[in-house]
Amino acid sequence: MPYKTRQSASIERLLSENRDRHLTAETLYRLLQDAGERVGQTTVYRHLEKLCAEGRVRKYTLGDAGACYQLAEDGGACRAHYHLKCTRCGKLIHARCDFLDRLSGHIFAEHGFAVDGSKTVLYGLCKDCREREEGDGCSSTPTK
Amino acid sequence: MPYKTRQSASIERLLSENRDRHLTAETLYRLLQDAGERVGQTTVYRHLEKLCAEGRVRKYTLGDAGACYQLAEDGGACRAHYHLKCTRCGKLIHARCDFLDRLSGHIFAEHGFAVDGSKTVLYGLCKDCREREEGDGCSSTPTK
DNA sequence: CTAGTTGCAAAGAGTTTGCATGGCG
DNA sequence: CGCCATGCAAACTCTTTGCAACTAG
């Protein structure tokens, strides 16, 4: 039976306060330090691992840096939308709209493939970076 | 101006011979050794990195183990559709249809984000693997 | 008191870098 | 011959593990 400790409470509190963000293990660790909570990073990793196993936290392993974690909404809020990650500035956008809502259903129905929104990230350039990229002669400029 | 070396030729040859598979850096390294090609793993990493930057190779960083690499189909062909990668069996599906065609345009128009189809992969379970997964009580079953 | 929890330090895995040597052009 | 490429080993980053001290129940 798991014990209720100061550390686990701190970690869950911070995860809860940042349920709208993706946190790396290190970021979470630093937030704890900044908040004056003394929690070792080993403990952070161990709790994240456990919470993932329980399904209460989702783990994103996108890109080259470390994995990101985020509290899983009960209703699967982050499953209901897509993540757009800018390959230039690293910004992560949570995109949500009807069109995207239907995307999973479409792929499932037409292609027999069950997209896992929690693992999927659409890469590209965000508006700001795209404007900066313009005129560099690179072929990545959309034809449209 | 890049030189043409025995090593780069070996690496590109193996990537080409395995264009239907996704290879980790280590697997590629071992394949080279097994083929009697003397190529250091540093060189493997450096070439993969360069090829990725050139867009000739696609890098998949899914999950906890090492990244996987795969030769990108020539030029714009793979930009015109989406890639569905099964997280279970590793199969890569090239999905193409009207709905997906409109996806990029939609995201561009509505979200100001220019998706790069050559870098984007939708992760999930293919039909075969999904049937195998069923009944494991996992919450990953799509609501729909 | 007992068993789960913590955290430092060390180990590990995957990847990158420093630097002297090698080889293409 | 000049410059890029190579490869060994060491450095690095992120994460996990060993183990003794700690603490909730």
Side-chain angles (χ1 to χ4, degrees), chain A:
Chain A
M1 207 57 50
Y3 292 168
K4 194 177 217 177
T5 65
R6 173 178 55 78
Q7 288 89 337
S8 67
S10 298
I11 289 170
E12 296 198 27
R13 182 176 60 75
L14 269 200
L15 282 172
S16 184
E17 289 174 357
N18 291 280
R19 57 173 66 251
D20 57 324
R21 296 177 55 196
H22 289 86
L23 304 174
T24 64
E26 193 194 357
T27 302
L28 181 51
Y29 174 65
R30 285 193 185 161
L31 284 175
L32 287 165
Q33 304 302 303
D34 293 348
E37 319 263 22
R38 316 199 112 283
V39 181
Q41 63 172 2
T42 303
T43 303
V44 170
Y45 276 108
R46 278 197 276 234
H47 276 285
L48 286 174
E49 183 188 4
K50 192 197 298 177
L51 290 167
C52 276
E54 292 170 2
R56 306 221 289 118
V57 158
R58 200 166 312 121
K59 181 179 186 179
Y60 298 86
T61 49
L62 42 107
D64 309 324
C68 290
Y69 300 84
Q70 183 171 37
L71 208 57
E73 317 289 309
D74 312 285
C78 266
R79 203 166 253 144
H81 63 244
Y82 281 85
H83 298 106
L84 313 175
K85 189 172 184 70
C86 181
T87 54
R88 180 67 165 275
C89 67
K91 183 162 52 193
L92 186 70
I93 300 166
H94 298 243
R96 177 75 148 82
C97 70
D98 289 348
F99 190 94
L100 291 172
D101 281 352
R102 299 202 315 272
L103 177 59
S104 299
H106 163 79
I107 293 175
F108 189 76
E110 298 296 316
H111 303 274
F113 189 90
V115 173
D116 183 343
S118 70
K119 288 184 183 134
T120 295
V121 180
L122 305 181
Y123 291 99
L125 288 176
C126 70
K127 197 174 181 182
D128 294 342
C129 290
R130 185 153 34 74
E131 285 162 1
R132 245 175 261 133
E133 287 272 304
E134 250 148 50
D136 71 353
C138 169
S139 63
S140 68
T141 307
T143 310
K144 170 60 180 306

Side-chain angles (χ1 to χ4, degrees), chain B residues 9-133:
Chain B
S10 298
I11 289 170
E12 297 198 27
R13 182 177 60 75
L14 270 200
L15 281 172
S16 183
E17 288 174 358
N18 291 281
R19 56 174 65 254
D20 56 323
R21 295 177 56 197
H22 55 295
L23 306 172
T24 64
E26 193 194 357
T27 303
L28 181 53
Y29 174 65
R30 284 193 187 160
L31 284 175
L32 286 164
Q33 303 302 303
D34 294 348
E37 320 262 22
R38 318 200 110 283
V39 181
Q41 63 173 2
T42 303
T43 303
V44 171
Y45 276 109
R46 279 197 274 236
H47 275 286
L48 287 174
E49 183 188 1
K50 192 197 301 179
L51 289 167
C52 276
E54 292 170 3
R56 305 221 290 120
V57 158
R58 204 157 18 233
K59 180 179 187 180
Y60 302 87
T61 49
L62 169 64
D64 309 326
C68 290
Y69 300 83
Q70 185 168 36
L71 207 57
E73 316 297 308
D74 74 306
C78 270
R79 226 171 228 136
H81 60 246
Y82 280 86
H83 298 104
L84 312 175
K85 190 170 186 68
C86 181
T87 55
R88 180 66 163 275
C89 65
K91 182 161 53 191
L92 184 69
I93 300 166
H94 299 243
R96 179 76 147 82
C97 70
D98 289 348
F99 191 92
L100 291 172
D101 281 352
R102 298 202 317 271
L103 177 58
S104 299
H106 163 79
I107 292 176
F108 189 75
E110 298 296 315
H111 303 275
F113 189 90
V115 173
D116 183 342
S118 69
K119 288 183 181 135
T120 295
V121 180
L122 305 180
Y123 292 102
L125 289 175
C126 70
K127 196 173 180 181
D128 294 343
C129 291
R130 187 154 32 76
E131 284 161 2
R132 247 175 261 132
E133 288 272 304

